[in-house]
Amino acid sequence: MMRDDELDNILANDEEILPSSGFSESVMAAIRREHEALPAIPFPWKRAIPGFAALTVGLAALVIGIVMYAMGAGADAEVSGIAVWKDAAQSALSGQMGWIVLAAILSLASVKLSARIASGRR
Amino acid sequence: MSASQDEADVERVLAGDLSAFEQIVNRWQGPLINLAYRFCRDRGRAEEMAQEAFLRAYRALGRWRKDSAFSTWLFAVATNCYRSELRRIPAQAISLDEVAEPKDTRALDGRFEAVDRDRRIRSAVLSLPARYRDPLVLFYFHDKDVTATAESLNLPVGTVKARLFRGREILRSKLQLLLAIPNLEEA
């Protein structure tokens, strides 16, 4: 018959193991690797935000142009699907061409600059 | 004294002297490995878990507020580490269904090889749900100190007591059934 204090005794008197001989060295090697590791390169938000903004403006201009054209072409039910998209793109481009080109150039320049900074730091 | 040595070594590590952390490792490797062993019952894995616990302690050393003993803080870090690791890869616990039945059917009075029986009983703790397993493991590791157990688990003392009581009940009832010990009762 096992009493509760006997169960208590069994659980309390657990076997004790000794650390292996190389444990301490292994831990310190890991600590040193941790200590010597280069810190993560932070994302260059200040330089990336103008590019993101330009890209957003360009996309918005394109979408607005397409929507405006679609609203105008909705009255003409005989316009085919492909023709609508073709005309919409042409309208968007002709009306917003300059801004879209500027936005694309700014985006590309921002990405190039960010890549150069990131590779330059390495 | 260990407490003042711990504090001095922590200060040195924070000042940039890595070798001081080796003193901390040498001082606490035994207890951390043994605590890990009680959670997993695998020597190799216990050392891996203890190494990870030391790494986490190193990273978080600046957050030790010195309002508690360094050992208390270290055991809390290690406990969190071990519990996370066991959630990721559970220990290979011996199911209570696998606890050995008597080979000799005549010997139903529970007289197993004492050492083997004790080992299996300790392993059976690992098959309990974590909310009962963890307090039981830590309670006996901390020499039945409920307060130290509660600090390691970051739980109120009352909660720890309740879970210890319930954990022992579950363990006792299952062992009673499987080891065919008729009266496993409160002392």
Side-chain angles (χ1 to χ4, degrees), chain A residues 8 14 18 20 26 34, chain B residues 41 43 47 51 59 140 184:
Chain A
D8 227 27
D14 207 326
L18 294 175
S20 60
S26 174
E34 178 91 1
Chain B
R41 296 291 158 187
R43 185 197 178 91
E47 291 205 350
Q51 176 164 318
R59 290 176 193 139
Y140 291 105
L184 192 64

Side-chain angles (χ1 to χ4, degrees), chain A residues 1-2 4 7-8 10-20 23-24 26 28 31 34-35, chain B residues 18 26 29 33-34 37-38 41 43 47 51 58-59 118 122 140 144 172 183-186:
Chain A
M1 182 189 307
M2 184 187 286
D4 193 44
L7 179 62
D8 227 27
I10 291 169
L11 295 177
N13 295 310
D14 207 326
E15 55 184 310
E16 189 157 324
I17 60 173
L18 294 175
S20 60
F23 177 78
S24 179
S26 174
M28 289 311 297
I31 297 288
E34 178 91 1
H35 181 72
Chain B
L18 265 188
N26 289 336
Q29 59 182 333
I33 289 173
N34 276 281
Y37 181 73
R38 290 183 187 221
R41 296 291 158 187
R43 185 197 178 91
E47 291 205 350
Q51 176 164 318
Y58 170 75
R59 290 176 193 139
D118 293 354
R122 293 186 199 109
Y140 291 105
K144 303 181 193 176
R172 201 183 308 121
N183 292 312
L184 192 64
E185 59 189 23
E186 296 280 351

Side-chain angles (χ1 to χ4, degrees), chain A residues 77-119:
Chain A
E78 292 182 2
V79 175
S80 72
I82 295 172
V84 166
W85 284 106
K86 184 181 171 186
D87 291 345
Q90 284 177 340
S91 174
L93 285 172
S94 63
Q96 306 293 333
M97 184 64 163
W99 289 113
I100 291 172
V101 168
L102 178 63
I105 290 172
L106 283 174
S107 299
L108 188 62
S110 178
V111 168
K112 288 280 188 185
L113 182 61
S114 300
R116 179 178 289 184
I117 291 170
S119 61

Side-chain angles (χ1 to χ4, degrees), chain B residues 159-170:
Chain B
T159 304
V160 169
K161 285 182 177 176
R163 292 185 185 181
L164 284 172
F165 178 79
R166 183 66 186 133
R168 278 204 207 89
E169 267 195 341
I170 297 171

Side-chain angles (χ1 to χ4, degrees), chain B residues 92-108:
Chain B
Q92 295 297 317
I94 295 177
S95 161
L96 290 173
D97 294 329
E98 294 173 19
V99 175
E101 294 186 10
K103 290 178 185 174
D104 184 347
T105 55
R106 290 171 297 173
L108 291 176

Side-chain angles (χ1 to χ4, degrees), chain B residues 7-89:
Chain B
E7 189 167 342
D9 287 333
V10 168
E11 293 296 326
R12 286 172 56 201
V13 174
L14 293 176
D17 182 4
L18 265 188
S19 66
F21 196 80
E22 191 167 4
Q23 305 303 315
I24 294 172
V25 173
N26 289 336
R27 199 175 301 130
W28 292 106
Q29 59 182 333
L32 255 60
I33 289 173
N34 276 281
L35 178 58
Y37 181 73
R38 290 183 187 221
F39 273 109
C40 68
R41 296 291 158 187
D42 180 313
R43 185 197 178 91
R45 190 175 180 196
E47 291 205 350
E48 287 173 6
M49 287 164 61
Q51 176 164 318
E52 179 61 25
F54 275 118
L55 259 175
R56 291 195 187 189
Y58 170 75
R59 290 176 193 139
L61 213 51
R63 295 201 287 272
W64 174 43
R65 290 189 301 270
K66 300 178 187 174
D67 51 356
S68 61
F70 179 75
S71 59
T72 303
W73 178 83
L74 184 61
F75 284 130
V77 169
T79 299
N80 278 337
C81 176
Y82 301 159
R83 293 167 82 194
S84 300
E85 180 61 23
L86 288 171
R87 274 193 294 269
R88 196 173 69 88
I89 304 174

